[in-house]
Amino acid sequence: MSSSVLKIDNLHVSVEGTPILKGVNLEIRSGEVHALMGPNGSGKSTLAYALAGHPRYEITDGNIEIDGAGLLELDPCERARLGLFLAFQYPVTIPGVKVADFLRHAISNVRNPERREGEELVPMREFRKELRSRMQELDMDAEFARRYLNEGFSGGEKKRMEILQLAMLAPKFAVLDETDSGLDSDAVRVVSEGLAKLSGPGMGVLIITHHERLLEYNIPQFTHVMLAGRIVETGDAALAHELHSNGYAGVRERHPDAAAEETEALAGQS
Amino acid sequence: MAITQTPAALPLTSAGFEAFLATRSEPAWVTDQRRSALAVWEEKLETPLDPEEWKRVELRTFRPEQFSLQPAPSDSVSFETLLEDRAEFGGHVRHLNGVCRRAELSEELAGQGVLFGDLATMLEEHGDLLRPHLMTRAVRPDTDRFSAWHAAFWTGGTVLYVPLNVEVKAPLHSLIGLAGAGAADLSHTLVILEEGASATLLEETVSADQQSAGLHVGSVELLLAKGSSLRYVQLQNWNSKTWHLAHQCGRVDADASLQWTVGGLGSKTAHIHQDVALDGRGASAQVNGVTFATERQLISFYTQQTHNSPDTTSDLLYKQVLRDRSRVVWRGMIRVEPDAQQIDGYQRCDALLMSNHCRNDAIPGLEIEADDVRCTHAATAGRVDEEQIFYCMSRGMNRYEAMHMIVEGFFQTVFDRIPVKAVRETLSRAVERKLRLGDDD
């Protein structure tokens, strides 16, 4: 399998005129698992949305590339077709759209990036078979496929749905934005195991989390700490463990300038 | 088959009335009904339309004199029909410019005494059977100027009669077509189900081309006797130059059930007065609406669910998508008569706005004179959610496909209520087609 690289270079992002990311640098290669940690408001989710191309997140400087191809000029669907996947912290409900129909359209596009609307979808029989086996692997009831996307889903079901999409789309790079938040421990286990089964040499993973459980199943080679819109430290799994046990006080102490910016930004909000 | 062919264009005016009558060969009571309707029409022209019903319907550019009854430009006019080519139908009726061009019914159904054909022919052959029902119980000529105009000048229309306890399983198809500039269609749909009978009738209205301005002043009467069951679908799919003015009424007797679906897709301006009357104990009606307005279309519905008897149920769900500069109006009323206790009346209208220039008016209302009832109504209107679009796009769909998916999903709750596959697929295809029209903004 060919190796790919997602390169984030000096990324600056503003939301409604307010700078949130102030120069993020990060490189993720196929097969690597990266953890991104940091206090609330440090810019983790902003990075996730900016990577996926959400129109509200304005990139004011820097660059994002996959294997040398720039992402900034691409809309979200083109990025998805290049192999980027975001598991949403708050998955969106699409009333009246069945999970199976949604996924069939999604994989038809991602597997055939030149596809235009109205052109052929992946064949129904193959698709059903594939969906069924992915769902079994994730311990999901077959009935799920006929439900409307995220409508009436519990928090755990929504997150599992994100993992199912990840499984079906098999991206080159997966960004998981707090996929473990708001779940009971059983649900966290299911999601964590699911991700562990899916990640492999062909996929680079960026896990944004506050917790440690997801990382127990998916041990990161790299842990990054974000503070006030920058990655201020990078370490290995031990760093994630330390942050989980001791919180961010130590990080703030080691990076007083960033800590001051954080305080200032918080003051500006209130 | 007695085709009453109109030889040349006939104006729909008092001056043209005698010439019009001369083209008809029908029982004397029908002629009398026409004459008295003409008198009512002349009178109604002098009185303003009910503002409550008509104030949101733009009629200033309506020129009735521009339309006439006219022969079709050719016998072989073809239509982009949404339904006709499907195989599963038990019978077909096709009208062109108000004149029946095709009437077929499977031998099996004909053998059971089912009648399916056009009104002009049916009146000649079964006048006594139809007489008690035609414009007497459901849509009366004196309702307003359009019902009177229709009653004076109706030309044809689809009749379905199902005898006692006969179950018509295969759906029946009716197409009402218009061809040529200024052509008028005044067709009258009459469905009579005797006790315990059941049937499904799918009707579509369609223009031969996209340029010719047409006029439809129509009427639909659905008469359900005790314990009968009818599914009726009307897909209004005229071109965007055509006026659609319709009075439609279903009367549901004890323990009968009516499922009525209206598709509002075409026309320049449409106003549909849709009444459902629950006349007998245990009667139920489900009313579904799928409207997709684009460009400068105005589509207006004036619905009434009248509970005349106890233990009756009515359930109306309208789903409306608007884009460009279109306008959609729904004014819905649930009326409960004093004796109609223990009824359940429901109405809901949801609108999805796809542009900043469209306009939606939804005006639900209740008039309740009984004291032990359950009546619920709701109306919502919202824009397409950008977060939904982003979510779909992040899964590889382009903006257009995402929008398409969201709109289809919006209609899905109505589609889920319609068990006829042909209708679901047809509506879904029509939606797809509408999505490709109009300008993006």
Side-chain angles (χ1 to χ4, degrees):
Chain A
M1 196 172 291
S2 68
S3 181
S4 287
V5 57
L6 168 67
K7 197 170 167 191
I8 301 164
D9 182 24
N10 187 33
L11 192 68
H12 285 68
V13 177
S14 289
V15 178
E16 284 156 15
T18 307
I20 307 289
L21 297 188
K22 300 159 185 172
V24 172
N25 296 291
L26 187 60
E27 238 181 82
I28 302 174
R29 291 170 189 282
S30 305
E32 293 177 353
V33 176
H34 292 241
L36 179 63
M37 302 180 77
N40 284 334
S42 57
K44 305 184 301 295
S45 286
T46 298
L47 177 62
Y49 277 124
L51 286 171
H54 193 295
R56 218 164 70 88
Y57 296 79
E58 189 200 345
I59 293 170
T60 54
D61 199 5
N63 204 5
I64 311 169
E65 288 176 0
I66 290 180
D67 297 334
L71 260 54
L72 297 193
E73 297 302 314
L74 303 183
D75 70 23
C77 89
E78 293 166 317
R79 296 180 195 205
R81 292 175 190 211
L82 263 189
L84 185 71
F85 178 86
L86 169 63
F88 282 56
Q89 184 179 0
Y90 304 108
V92 176
T93 298
I94 314 218
V97 175
K98 289 193 181 81
V99 166
D101 291 338
F102 182 82
L103 275 172
R104 190 166 171 227
H105 279 85
I107 65 167
S108 298
N109 288 322
V110 167
R111 290 181 193 173
N112 175 15
E114 304 301 314
R115 180 180 176 273
R116 281 186 302 231
E117 196 196 0
E119 289 179 7
E120 242 172 279
L121 295 167
V122 290
M124 189 54 115
R125 190 186 293 262
E126 279 169 43
F127 168 73
R128 282 210 180 121
K129 202 172 144 199
E130 185 183 344
L131 181 61
R132 207 175 306 129
S133 64
R134 291 292 93 75
M135 288 175 77
Q136 274 165 7
E137 285 163 19
L138 292 169
D139 264 337
M140 291 169 85
D141 197 292
E143 184 260 343
F144 233 71
R146 290 188 294 273
R147 288 174 67 182
Y148 296 142
L149 189 63
N150 293 325
E151 195 166 69
F153 283 25
S154 69
E157 286 172 335
K158 283 185 184 171
K159 296 299 175 72
R160 215 183 290 188
M161 188 62 227
E162 295 294 291
I163 300 298
L164 174 65
Q165 293 185 37
L166 172 64
M168 293 295 290
L169 292 168
K172 286 182 187 156
F173 295 98
V175 179
L176 290 92
D177 188 6
E178 304 207 13
T179 299
D180 51 359
S181 70
L183 300 186
D184 61 33
S185 59
D186 269 357
V188 171
R189 182 182 51 77
V190 169
V191 164
S192 305
E193 285 177 355
L195 176 62
K197 275 183 208 162
L198 297 170
S199 55
M203 194 193 294
V205 183
L206 178 64
I207 300 174
I208 298 173
T209 184
H210 281 297
H211 308 284
E212 217 183 10
R213 285 291 293 279
L214 195 50
L215 302 179
E216 279 171 23
Y217 288 86
N218 301 274
I219 296 164
Q221 289 93 9
F222 304 92
T223 300
H224 310 278
V225 188
M226 195 174 253
L227 193 63
R230 286 186 200 91
I231 289 173
V232 293
E233 279 186 27
T234 294
D236 57 16
L239 175 59
H241 189 68
E242 185 220 308
L243 293 171
H244 187 254
S245 313
N246 306 331
Y248 296 101
V251 176
R252 292 193 177 98
E253 248 168 58
R254 295 195 289 273
H255 304 279
D257 292 355
E261 267 183 65
E262 183 192 22
T263 313
E264 210 173 295
L266 284 172
Q269 273 171 25
S270 52
Chain B
M1 189 170 47
I3 290 181
T4 320
Q5 180 71 56
T6 353
L10 280 169
L12 295 155
T13 58
S14 299
F17 185 67
E18 291 303 326
F20 166 73
L21 282 184
T23 66
R24 314 292 302 181
S25 59
E26 42 200 21
W29 66 267
V30 175
T31 310
D32 292 345
Q33 200 181 45
R34 290 189 188 279
R35 284 193 192 283
S36 62
L38 186 79
V40 173
W41 175 61
E42 285 168 347
E43 190 189 306
K44 295 271 183 198
L45 280 179
E46 304 303 316
T47 45
L49 287 159
D50 175 11
E52 179 55 31
E53 177 164 355
W54 291 92
K55 70 182 172 200
R56 295 172 192 86
V57 185
E58 178 58 76
L59 288 175
R60 272 179 302 185
T61 58
F62 180 50
R63 299 278 172 269
E65 67 277 8
Q66 288 175 347
F67 300 98
S68 57
L69 299 172
Q70 45 181 268
S74 98
D75 276 357
S76 54
V77 175
S78 67
F79 292 99
E80 248 191 274
T81 158
L82 293 167
L83 284 163
E84 196 172 25
D85 302 333
R86 300 183 67 107
E88 61 261 44
F89 293 109
H92 291 279
V93 171
R94 175 193 263 241
H95 281 81
L96 177 55
N97 290 8
V99 177
C100 182
R101 295 305 179 111
R102 177 188 186 192
E104 292 164 15
L105 180 66
S106 78
E107 281 179 23
E108 188 199 337
L109 292 173
Q112 290 175 289
V114 175
L115 303 177
F116 187 55
D118 89 288
L119 183 57
T121 310
M122 288 283 170
L123 280 177
E124 282 187 26
E125 295 170 3
H126 307 276
D128 293 343
L129 184 73
L130 302 185
R131 187 173 179 177
H133 305 291
L134 182 66
M135 289 182 259
T136 55
R137 301 202 287 134
V139 180
R140 297 171 55 89
D142 58 2
T143 309
D144 69 17
R145 76 169 66 143
F146 294 106
S147 64
W149 199 20
H150 169 88
F153 287 99
W154 66 263
T155 50
T158 299
V159 174
L160 169 64
Y161 171 84
V162 186
L164 187 72
N165 292 330
V166 171
E167 237 180 279
V168 179
K169 290 216 177 69
L172 301 165
H173 175 251
S174 158
L175 182 143
I176 302 169
L178 267 175
D185 167 82
L186 286 84
S187 59
H188 191 98
T189 302
L190 177 62
V191 178
I192 303 161
L193 263 54
E194 297 285 15
E195 288 187 21
S198 69
T200 299
L201 174 60
L202 312 181
E203 189 159 65
E204 57 181 323
T205 72
V206 54
S207 310
D209 63 63
Q210 296 308 310
Q211 293 77 44
S212 304
L215 169 67
H216 169 82
V217 182
S219 181
V220 172
E221 299 188 283
L222 311 173
L223 304 166
L224 283 74
K226 281 179 194 157
S228 64
S229 158
L230 175 68
R231 281 191 195 120
Y232 173 67
V233 178
Q234 191 186 53
L235 293 178
Q236 184 273 101
N237 197 27
W238 302 119
N239 68 17
S240 60
K241 310 278 189 214
T242 295
W243 296 81
H244 179 84
L245 304 164
H247 273 275
Q248 309 186 337
C249 178
R251 297 212 79 110
V252 189
D253 209 336
D255 298 318
S257 72
L258 170 63
Q259 187 194 52
W260 186 350
T261 301
V262 288
L265 303 168
S267 80
K268 167 194 171 69
T269 298
H271 179 69
I272 297 99
H273 182 119
Q274 187 188 29
D275 280 351
V276 177
L278 300 144
D279 294 329
R281 186 166 209 145
S284 69
Q286 187 194 68
V287 181
N288 304 312
V290 173
T291 302
F292 195 154
T294 51
E295 295 172 323
R296 289 176 178 273
Q297 282 185 298
L298 177 133
I299 301 182
S300 155
F301 294 92
Y302 188 88
T303 68
Q304 183 143 336
Q305 299 151 255
T306 307
H307 292 258
N308 290 319
S309 278
D311 301 311
T312 49
T313 308
S314 71
D315 172 0
L316 178 144
L317 176 63
Y318 268 43
K319 289 275 190 177
Q320 309 179 320
V321 173
L322 292 79
R323 61 183 290 178
D324 312 324
R325 294 178 176 275
S326 65
R327 185 165 179 202
V328 174
V329 180
W330 169 70
R331 181 275 195 199
M333 180 63 76
I334 299 179
R335 168 150 184 92
V336 184
E337 294 299 327
D339 296 336
Q341 301 293 0
Q342 299 269 312
I343 64 97
D344 190 342
Y346 180 77
Q347 56 178 0
R348 181 186 180 98
C349 180
D350 296 320
L352 182 67
L353 314 179
M354 294 177 72
S355 90
N356 295 323
H357 308 292
C358 56
R359 178 169 165 187
N360 175 249
D361 297 276
I363 310 129
L366 303 172
E367 278 175 10
I368 304 174
E369 295 197 35
D371 52 20
D372 180 16
V373 303
R374 188 186 138 93
C375 283
T376 321
H377 60 190
T380 68
R383 291 187 188 288
V384 178
D385 183 354
E386 282 298 324
E387 295 305 317
Q388 291 178 343
I389 291 175
F390 174 66
Y391 190 72
C392 292
M393 289 182 77
S394 79
R395 300 304 184 241
M397 288 164 231
N398 67 30
R399 190 178 175 82
Y400 186 81
E401 194 172 17
M403 195 77 108
H404 187 164
M405 198 153 240
I406 292 161
V407 169
E408 283 237 27
F410 175 79
F411 283 130
Q412 189 62 43
T413 44
V414 169
F415 295 170
D416 284 346
R417 291 165 45 131
I418 306 169
V420 187
K421 195 173 168 214
V423 174
R424 279 200 311 269
E425 287 180 5
T426 300
L427 282 171
S428 152
R429 241 184 330 136
V431 165
E432 202 169 310
R433 197 180 299 178
K434 290 285 279 195
L435 275 166
R436 284 164 209 282
L437 296 172
D439 5 287
D440 273 311
D441 63 329

